[in-house]
Short mmCIF file of all heavy atoms in Angstrom, two decimals:
data_model
loop_
_atom_site.label_atom_id
_atom_site.label_comp_id
_atom_site.label_asym_id
_atom_site.label_seq_id
_atom_site.Cartn_x
_atom_site.Cartn_y
_atom_site.Cartn_z
N ARG A 64 34.88 31.61 169.06
CA ARG A 64 34.42 32.39 170.26
C ARG A 64 33.12 33.03 170.10
O ARG A 64 32.68 33.81 170.92
CB ARG A 64 35.52 33.38 170.69
CG ARG A 64 36.84 32.74 171.08
CD ARG A 64 37.86 33.84 171.38
NE ARG A 64 37.39 34.81 172.35
CZ ARG A 64 37.55 34.74 173.64
NH1 ARG A 64 38.06 33.63 174.16
NH2 ARG A 64 37.07 35.70 174.40
N GLY A 65 32.34 32.73 169.11
CA GLY A 65 31.05 33.30 168.83
C GLY A 65 30.04 33.16 169.94
O GLY A 65 29.36 33.99 170.31
N ARG A 66 29.97 31.87 170.42
CA ARG A 66 29.05 31.60 171.50
C ARG A 66 29.36 32.39 172.79
O ARG A 66 28.49 32.92 173.40
CB ARG A 66 29.05 30.06 171.85
CG ARG A 66 27.96 29.82 172.92
CD ARG A 66 27.78 28.26 173.10
NE ARG A 66 27.08 27.89 171.86
CZ ARG A 66 26.69 26.72 171.64
NH1 ARG A 66 26.84 25.78 172.54
NH2 ARG A 66 26.09 26.39 170.56
N GLY A 67 30.69 32.45 173.03
CA GLY A 67 31.06 33.24 174.22
C GLY A 67 30.79 34.72 174.02
O GLY A 67 30.35 35.36 174.97
N MET A 68 30.94 35.18 172.79
CA MET A 68 30.55 36.64 172.52
C MET A 68 29.05 36.88 172.79
O MET A 68 28.74 37.85 173.48
CB MET A 68 30.81 36.86 171.01
CG MET A 68 32.22 37.06 170.65
SD MET A 68 32.43 37.42 168.88
CE MET A 68 31.69 38.98 168.69
N THR A 69 28.24 35.95 172.44
CA THR A 69 26.77 36.07 172.72
C THR A 69 26.52 36.10 174.19
O THR A 69 25.68 36.87 174.72
CB THR A 69 26.07 34.93 171.95
OG1 THR A 69 26.35 34.95 170.57
CG2 THR A 69 24.59 35.01 172.20
N GLU A 70 27.15 35.14 174.88
CA GLU A 70 26.92 35.03 176.36
C GLU A 70 27.37 36.21 177.05
O GLU A 70 26.66 36.76 177.99
CB GLU A 70 27.54 33.78 176.87
CG GLU A 70 26.95 32.50 176.39
CD GLU A 70 27.80 31.22 176.66
OE1 GLU A 70 28.88 31.38 177.26
OE2 GLU A 70 27.31 30.18 176.34
N ARG A 71 28.53 36.71 176.74
CA ARG A 71 29.08 37.99 177.36
C ARG A 71 28.16 39.24 177.06
O ARG A 71 27.91 40.07 177.93
CB ARG A 71 30.45 38.26 176.93
CG ARG A 71 31.44 37.31 177.56
CD ARG A 71 32.91 37.68 177.27
NE ARG A 71 33.21 37.53 175.85
CZ ARG A 71 33.60 36.35 175.30
NH1 ARG A 71 33.65 35.23 176.07
NH2 ARG A 71 33.89 36.28 174.03
N GLN A 72 27.69 39.28 175.83
CA GLN A 72 26.84 40.39 175.43
C GLN A 72 25.41 40.33 176.17
O GLN A 72 24.94 41.32 176.67
CB GLN A 72 26.54 40.39 173.92
CG GLN A 72 25.57 41.50 173.50
CD GLN A 72 26.21 42.85 173.60
OE1 GLN A 72 27.41 43.00 173.68
NE2 GLN A 72 25.40 43.83 173.58
N ALA A 73 24.89 39.14 176.33
CA ALA A 73 23.65 38.93 177.09
C ALA A 73 23.88 39.29 178.51
O ALA A 73 22.91 39.86 179.10
CB ALA A 73 23.18 37.46 176.86
N ALA A 74 24.99 38.94 179.07
CA ALA A 74 25.24 39.24 180.42
C ALA A 74 25.32 40.71 180.76
O ALA A 74 24.85 41.24 181.67
CB ALA A 74 26.51 38.50 180.98
N ARG A 75 26.05 41.42 179.74
CA ARG A 75 26.15 42.94 179.87
C ARG A 75 24.73 43.57 179.67
O ARG A 75 24.47 44.52 180.42
CB ARG A 75 27.02 43.39 178.77
CG ARG A 75 28.55 43.23 179.06
CD ARG A 75 29.45 44.02 178.07
NE ARG A 75 29.33 43.58 176.72
CZ ARG A 75 30.08 42.60 176.21
NH1 ARG A 75 30.93 42.02 176.92
NH2 ARG A 75 29.94 42.30 174.92
N VAL A 76 23.97 43.06 178.77
CA VAL A 76 22.66 43.68 178.61
C VAL A 76 21.80 43.37 179.86
O VAL A 76 21.07 44.34 180.36
CB VAL A 76 21.90 43.00 177.34
CG1 VAL A 76 20.46 43.41 177.37
CG2 VAL A 76 22.63 43.47 176.11
N SER A 77 21.90 42.20 180.43
CA SER A 77 21.11 41.93 181.69
C SER A 77 21.51 42.79 182.77
O SER A 77 20.71 43.25 183.56
CB SER A 77 21.26 40.40 182.00
OG SER A 77 20.59 40.06 183.15
N ALA A 78 22.84 42.96 182.97
CA ALA A 78 23.37 43.79 184.04
C ALA A 78 22.95 45.20 183.82
O ALA A 78 22.59 45.86 184.79
CB ALA A 78 24.87 43.65 184.14
N ALA A 79 22.98 45.70 182.57
CA ALA A 79 22.58 47.14 182.36
C ALA A 79 21.11 47.29 182.58
O ALA A 79 20.67 48.26 183.16
CB ALA A 79 22.94 47.49 180.94
N ARG A 80 20.32 46.28 182.23
CA ARG A 80 18.86 46.34 182.52
C ARG A 80 18.64 46.35 183.98
O ARG A 80 17.74 47.13 184.52
CB ARG A 80 18.09 45.24 181.88
CG ARG A 80 16.62 45.24 182.15
CD ARG A 80 15.84 44.21 181.38
NE ARG A 80 15.91 44.61 179.98
CZ ARG A 80 15.77 43.73 178.94
NH1 ARG A 80 15.68 42.52 179.22
NH2 ARG A 80 15.79 44.23 177.82
N ALA A 81 19.29 45.52 184.73
CA ALA A 81 19.14 45.50 186.25
C ALA A 81 19.50 46.86 186.91
O ALA A 81 18.83 47.29 187.85
CB ALA A 81 19.88 44.34 186.79
N GLU A 82 20.60 47.37 186.44
CA GLU A 82 21.06 48.68 187.02
C GLU A 82 20.04 49.78 186.68
O GLU A 82 19.79 50.62 187.49
CB GLU A 82 22.43 49.03 186.46
CG GLU A 82 23.53 48.16 186.96
CD GLU A 82 24.89 48.57 186.32
OE1 GLU A 82 24.93 49.54 185.57
OE2 GLU A 82 25.85 47.73 186.62
N THR A 83 19.52 49.80 185.36
CA THR A 83 18.50 50.75 185.04
C THR A 83 17.23 50.52 185.75
O THR A 83 16.64 51.62 186.32
CB THR A 83 18.23 50.63 183.55
OG1 THR A 83 19.42 50.79 182.81
CG2 THR A 83 17.15 51.62 183.11
N ASP A 84 16.79 49.37 186.01
CA ASP A 84 15.56 49.16 186.80
C ASP A 84 15.80 49.62 188.24
O ASP A 84 14.93 50.17 188.86
CB ASP A 84 15.17 47.69 186.77
CG ASP A 84 14.70 47.24 185.36
OD1 ASP A 84 14.31 48.17 184.58
OD2 ASP A 84 14.60 45.99 185.12
N ALA A 85 16.97 49.32 188.78
CA ALA A 85 17.23 49.72 190.21
C ALA A 85 17.24 51.18 190.32
O ALA A 85 16.79 51.78 191.25
CB ALA A 85 18.53 49.07 190.69
N TYR A 86 17.89 51.91 189.36
CA TYR A 86 17.91 53.38 189.32
C TYR A 86 16.51 53.94 189.17
O TYR A 86 16.17 54.88 189.94
CB TYR A 86 18.79 53.80 188.17
CG TYR A 86 18.77 55.29 188.04
CD1 TYR A 86 19.45 56.10 188.91
CD2 TYR A 86 18.00 55.95 187.07
CE1 TYR A 86 19.49 57.45 188.83
CE2 TYR A 86 18.04 57.36 186.99
CZ TYR A 86 18.69 58.11 187.83
OH TYR A 86 18.74 59.49 187.70
N ILE A 87 15.70 53.34 188.34
CA ILE A 87 14.32 53.87 188.19
C ILE A 87 13.54 53.75 189.44
O ILE A 87 12.79 54.55 189.89
CB ILE A 87 13.70 53.18 186.99
CG1 ILE A 87 14.29 53.66 185.69
CG2 ILE A 87 12.18 53.43 186.99
CD1 ILE A 87 13.85 52.86 184.43
N ARG A 88 13.70 52.56 190.07
CA ARG A 88 13.01 52.26 191.34
C ARG A 88 13.45 53.26 192.41
O ARG A 88 12.61 53.79 193.24
CB ARG A 88 13.14 50.85 191.83
CG ARG A 88 12.23 49.88 191.17
CD ARG A 88 12.34 48.49 191.85
NE ARG A 88 12.07 47.52 190.86
CZ ARG A 88 13.05 46.78 190.30
NH1 ARG A 88 14.29 47.02 190.53
NH2 ARG A 88 12.69 45.85 189.33
N ALA A 89 14.78 53.48 192.47
CA ALA A 89 15.29 54.41 193.50
C ALA A 89 14.86 55.89 193.28
O ALA A 89 14.51 56.56 194.27
CB ALA A 89 16.78 54.32 193.53
N THR A 90 14.79 56.29 192.01
CA THR A 90 14.45 57.70 191.76
C THR A 90 12.93 57.94 191.66
O THR A 90 12.51 59.08 191.75
CB THR A 90 15.12 58.22 190.51
OG1 THR A 90 14.72 57.40 189.40
CG2 THR A 90 16.62 58.24 190.69
N ALA A 91 12.19 56.93 191.38
CA ALA A 91 10.73 57.06 191.34
C ALA A 91 10.05 57.22 192.62
O ALA A 91 8.84 57.44 192.68
CB ALA A 91 10.15 55.91 190.53
N GLY A 92 10.75 57.04 193.65
CA GLY A 92 10.20 57.10 195.00
C GLY A 92 9.34 55.93 195.43
O GLY A 92 8.39 56.13 196.25
N GLY A 93 9.78 54.87 194.91
CA GLY A 93 9.02 53.61 195.34
C GLY A 93 9.28 53.42 196.76
O GLY A 93 10.28 53.69 197.37
N SER A 94 8.25 52.83 197.40
CA SER A 94 8.32 52.69 198.78
C SER A 94 9.25 51.50 199.16
O SER A 94 9.29 50.48 198.48
CB SER A 94 6.94 52.40 199.44
OG SER A 94 6.34 51.34 198.76
N SER A 95 10.01 51.66 200.26
CA SER A 95 10.90 50.63 200.67
C SER A 95 10.20 49.54 201.50
O SER A 95 9.00 49.69 201.80
CB SER A 95 12.07 51.18 201.49
OG SER A 95 11.50 51.73 202.71
N ALA A 96 10.91 48.47 201.80
CA ALA A 96 10.25 47.39 202.54
C ALA A 96 9.85 47.92 203.90
O ALA A 96 8.79 47.53 204.45
CB ALA A 96 11.22 46.22 202.67
N ALA A 97 10.68 48.75 204.56
CA ALA A 97 10.44 49.17 205.88
C ALA A 97 9.14 50.11 205.85
O ALA A 97 8.30 49.95 206.76
CB ALA A 97 11.59 50.02 206.39
N SER A 98 8.93 50.93 204.85
CA SER A 98 7.75 51.80 204.79
C SER A 98 6.51 50.93 204.53
O SER A 98 5.46 51.20 205.00
CB SER A 98 7.93 52.90 203.79
OG SER A 98 8.03 52.34 202.48
N GLN A 99 6.64 49.92 203.71
CA GLN A 99 5.53 49.07 203.44
C GLN A 99 5.06 48.31 204.68
O GLN A 99 3.93 48.16 204.97
CB GLN A 99 5.85 48.07 202.33
CG GLN A 99 5.96 48.70 200.95
CD GLN A 99 6.34 47.69 199.89
OE1 GLN A 99 6.47 46.47 200.12
NE2 GLN A 99 6.48 48.10 198.64
N ILE A 100 6.02 47.84 205.45
CA ILE A 100 5.73 47.09 206.73
C ILE A 100 5.15 48.12 207.71
O ILE A 100 4.16 47.76 208.42
CB ILE A 100 6.93 46.41 207.29
CG1 ILE A 100 7.41 45.32 206.36
CG2 ILE A 100 6.74 45.95 208.64
CD1 ILE A 100 8.73 44.68 206.71
N THR A 101 5.62 49.35 207.75
CA THR A 101 5.04 50.36 208.58
C THR A 101 3.56 50.66 208.30
O THR A 101 2.72 50.80 209.19
CB THR A 101 5.86 51.65 208.60
OG1 THR A 101 7.22 51.36 208.90
CG2 THR A 101 5.35 52.73 209.54
N GLU A 102 3.30 50.82 206.96
CA GLU A 102 1.96 51.01 206.55
C GLU A 102 0.99 49.80 206.91
O GLU A 102 -0.14 50.01 207.37
CB GLU A 102 1.89 51.22 205.00
CG GLU A 102 2.47 52.56 204.59
CD GLU A 102 2.56 52.68 203.09
OE1 GLU A 102 1.90 51.90 202.39
OE2 GLU A 102 3.26 53.56 202.65
N ALA A 103 1.52 48.59 206.68
CA ALA A 103 0.71 47.42 206.99
C ALA A 103 0.55 47.39 208.48
O ALA A 103 -0.56 46.96 209.01
CB ALA A 103 1.49 46.11 206.53
N LYS A 104 1.57 47.69 209.36
CA LYS A 104 1.33 47.66 210.80
C LYS A 104 0.33 48.74 211.25
O LYS A 104 -0.43 48.49 212.16
CB LYS A 104 2.66 48.07 211.48
CG LYS A 104 2.68 48.07 213.02
CD LYS A 104 2.39 46.72 213.51
CE LYS A 104 2.55 46.74 215.05
NZ LYS A 104 1.90 45.69 215.76
#
Side-chain angles (χ1 to χ4, degrees):
R64 296 180 48 91
R66 180 169 293 185
M68 285 176 68
T69 304
E70 292 168 356
R71 285 186 292 278
Q72 179 68 20
R75 280 192 296 271
V76 167
S77 176
R80 179 174 289 152
E82 289 175 7
T83 302
D84 290 345
Y86 174 75
I87 290 171
R88 278 191 212 96
T90 57
S94 56
S95 66
S98 65
Q99 289 177 3
I100 292 172
T101 304
E102 290 174 14
K104 180 67 172 160

